[in-house]
């Protein structure tokens, strides 16, 4: 046993953390859902009709549409959703687990490295929503149903074509062209792990000289991944491009998106789980079943974690999409020592993330 693990176990015992290693418990059967959405709705209403969700993100209003759609689909239900950076949500979930005061039902977070740990600690409900076995890609789910990918997020090249009328940037080397001097907006890589991973992939392909050349383009560094698209939308041409945002695969004019052909872009399954001690487990089950249901996902112009849903128009399925591998982000996130080294490397080069929290910066994040 390593010294680090020994000290960690001692600390857990000393502080009487309620989470535990469940490996040898052999007593956590997985519930496989067989009820319809309407039957789940009835069960949730009998429980009180409330579900509390903590959702990763960087704008307070990012999940307003989820709340509205859920409450319209299931009358009498209330979805209390709190959006915050996943790296802050996860430590606050740890605090709830440590004090035995779990008041959140469901979590949907970018910090995918947390889920295996929480499963091992016995903190997650072993539960398979309807369609789990045949509908969800094996690559995006835990075998025991402790957690699963609910939808796909990806970074893309984003350009405001009202202000950039030249060729669309495709490769990351395109951002080094003269026309992008002083026009690029980027999220601090040392403030967001998925952006950090994007920079890691780029430098592994093009080397550190690419980053030096990027810095000579004088990009504007911002907090939050919704902020670059918002700035590009509202700056009246001062800024026109980014590769650290996601605005979907079929954006409205004047926006255009593209993906690298030679380079690699980041994609990952935004992963969710129900806490084992959730105060409203039936309501959480309703939410998770609905979020990955064919009813909700059919016809959506986004990549999903379901293999039985047609991919967005003009695109292959996410596992067949060239230039990305959505299974690698969780593996990269699992090596926290390497992630932290990389974070501090970029912080040394561009400084610590400056500005208000992206939740407090009054970003107009609906381009």
């Amino acid at each position: 046993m390593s010294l680090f693990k020994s000290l960690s176990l001692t600390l857990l015992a000393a502080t009487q953390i309620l989470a535990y290693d469940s490996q040898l418990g052999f007593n956590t059967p997985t519930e496989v859902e067989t009820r319809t959405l309407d039957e789940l709705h009835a069960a949730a209403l009998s429980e009180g009709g409330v579900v509390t969700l903590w959702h990763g993100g960087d704008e307070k209003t990012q999940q307003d549409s989820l709340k509205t759609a859920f409450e319209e689909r299931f009358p009498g239900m209330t979805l209390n959703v709190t959006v915050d950076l996943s790296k802050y949500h996860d430590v606050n979930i740890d605090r709830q687990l440590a004090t035995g005061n779990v008041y959140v039902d469901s979590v949907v977070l970018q910090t995918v490295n947390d889920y295996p740990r929480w499963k091992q600690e016995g903190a997650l409900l072993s539960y398979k929503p309807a369609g789990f076995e045949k509908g969800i890609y094996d690559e995006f789910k835990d075998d025991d149903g402790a957690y699963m990918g609910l939808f796909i997020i990806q970074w893309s090249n984003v350009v405001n074509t009202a202000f950039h009328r030249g060729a669309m940037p495709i490769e990351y080397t395109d951002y080094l062209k003269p026309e992008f001097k002083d026009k690029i907006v980027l999220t601090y890589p040392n403030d967001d792990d998925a952006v950090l991973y994007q920079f890691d992939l780029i430098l592994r392909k093009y080397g550190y000289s690419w980053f030096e050349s990027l810095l000579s383009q004088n990009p504007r560094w911002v907090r939050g991944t919704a902020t670059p698209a918002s700035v590009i939308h509202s700056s009246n041409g001062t800024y026109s491009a980014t590769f650290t945002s996601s605005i979907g695969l079929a954006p409205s004019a004047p926006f255009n998106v593209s993906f690298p052909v030679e380079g690699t872009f980041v994609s990952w399954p935004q992963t969710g789980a129900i806490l084992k001690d959730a105060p409203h487990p039936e309501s959480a089950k309703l939410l998770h079943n609905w979020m990955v249901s064919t009813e909700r996902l059919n016809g959506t112009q986004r990549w999903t974690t379901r293999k039985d849903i047609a991919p967005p128009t003009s695109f292959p399925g996410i596992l067949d999409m060239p230039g990305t591998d959505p299974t690698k982000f969780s593996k990269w996130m699992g090596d926290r020592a390497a992630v932290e080294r990389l974070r501090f490397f970029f912080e040394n080069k561009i400084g610590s993330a400056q500005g208000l929290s992206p939740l407090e910066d009054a970003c107009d994040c609906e381009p």
Side-chain angles (χ1 to χ4, degrees):
M1 179 183 295
S2 69
L3 175 61
F4 177 78
K5 185 173 182 180
S6 176
L7 290 173
S8 297
L9 293 175
T10 301
L11 179 61
L12 290 177
T15 55
Q16 298 182 338
I17 290 180
L18 298 180
Y20 55 90
D21 186 335
S22 62
Q23 181 179 359
L24 302 181
F26 306 123
N27 60 351
T28 54
T30 299
E31 178 183 353
V32 179
E33 190 56 75
T34 59
R35 292 171 291 180
T36 66
L37 287 174
D38 289 339
E39 290 170 334
L40 284 163
H41 184 197
L45 288 174
S46 67
E47 183 184 62
V50 175
V51 56
T52 298
L53 166 65
W54 278 11
H55 202 296
D58 47 29
E59 295 294 337
K60 291 180 179 179
T61 61
Q62 276 178 334
Q63 297 306 319
D64 284 4
S65 60
L66 176 69
K67 174 181 172 65
T68 298
F70 179 76
E71 292 178 354
E72 287 180 352
R73 172 61 178 85
F74 302 106
M77 293 298 301
T78 298
L79 174 58
N80 294 322
V81 56
T82 300
V83 175
D84 201 348
L85 302 181
S86 293
K87 62 184 180 181
Y88 299 149
H89 270 329
D90 63 2
V91 294
N92 286 313
I93 290 293
D94 281 332
R95 174 65 177 167
Q96 291 181 41
L97 296 173
T99 59
N101 181 32
V102 174
Y103 54 88
V104 170
D105 301 303
S106 168
V107 291
V108 180
L109 303 175
Q110 181 193 90
T111 47
V112 291
N113 53 292
D114 288 313
Y115 291 102
R117 172 174 62 85
W118 283 334
K119 177 189 177 183
Q120 187 69 20
E121 292 172 352
L124 304 180
L125 184 69
S126 294
Y127 174 72
K128 297 181 178 181
F132 181 94
E133 296 292 357
K134 295 183 178 180
I136 305 299
Y137 285 109
D138 291 342
E139 293 84 351
F140 301 148
K141 63 190 180 188
D142 171 61
D143 289 343
D144 298 315
Y147 50 89
M148 61 183 287
L150 300 178
F151 55 93
I152 300 294
I153 299 179
Q154 72 288 323
W155 304 143
S156 64
N157 300 310
V158 179
V159 169
N160 187 332
T161 60
F163 304 118
H164 177 78
R165 296 180 176 84
M168 275 286 295
I170 301 297
E171 306 301 339
Y172 300 112
T173 50
D174 291 338
Y175 290 91
L176 308 182
K177 295 177 179 178
E179 57 263 36
F180 289 108
K181 176 77 171 181
D182 301 320
K183 296 291 185 180
I184 306 168
V185 187
L186 299 171
T187 305
Y188 283 99
N190 43 309
D191 199 35
D192 185 289
D193 282 349
V195 174
L196 185 66
Y197 184 40
Q198 183 69 82
F199 275 83
D200 190 19
L201 291 174
I202 295 171
L203 267 67
R204 286 179 182 274
K205 180 172 181 59
Y206 295 113
Y208 181 68
S209 61
W210 174 90
F211 185 61
E212 290 183 313
S213 298
L214 178 71
L215 292 180
S216 71
Q217 293 288 72
N218 192 34
R220 175 178 171 183
W221 300 100
V222 298
R223 299 196 66 195
T225 57
T227 308
S230 177
V231 171
I232 292 167
H233 179 248
S234 61
S235 68
N236 199 31
T238 303
Y239 300 98
S240 60
T242 187
F243 55 84
T244 63
S245 271
S246 177
I247 60 171
L249 302 177
S252 301
F255 281 87
N256 198 356
V257 300
S258 66
F259 296 97
V261 176
E262 297 177 358
T264 304
F265 68 94
V266 172
S267 63
W268 73 95
Q270 190 82 332
T271 300
I274 299 171
L275 296 176
K276 187 183 69 176
D277 295 328
H280 309 106
E282 296 302 310
S283 299
K285 292 173 187 176
L286 173 63
L287 175 64
H288 281 236
N289 276 269
W290 175 72
M291 287 183 71
V292 296
S293 67
T294 55
E295 170 191 308
R296 174 167 167 78
L297 296 178
N298 269 324
T300 57
Q301 289 302 300
R302 67 188 302 175
W303 281 304
T304 78
T305 58
R306 292 193 70 118
K307 54 190 174 185
D308 55 356
I309 297 289
T313 305
S314 303
F315 290 95
I318 185 60
L319 290 178
D320 297 318
M321 179 67 184
T324 194
D325 185 342
T327 69
K328 288 187 175 179
F329 180 59
S330 60
K331 299 170 186 175
W332 182 88
M333 286 282 282
D335 189 345
R336 298 313 297 170
V339 171
E340 291 304 305
R341 286 195 299 272
L342 194 61
R343 183 193 317 281
F344 289 124
F345 168 81
F346 282 105
E347 186 167 303
N348 177 254
K349 302 302 179 183
I350 63 177
S352 59
Q354 299 297 305
L356 294 172
S357 162
L359 277 79
E360 304 294 340
D361 63 1
C363 166
D364 173 15
C365 58
E366 296 291 341

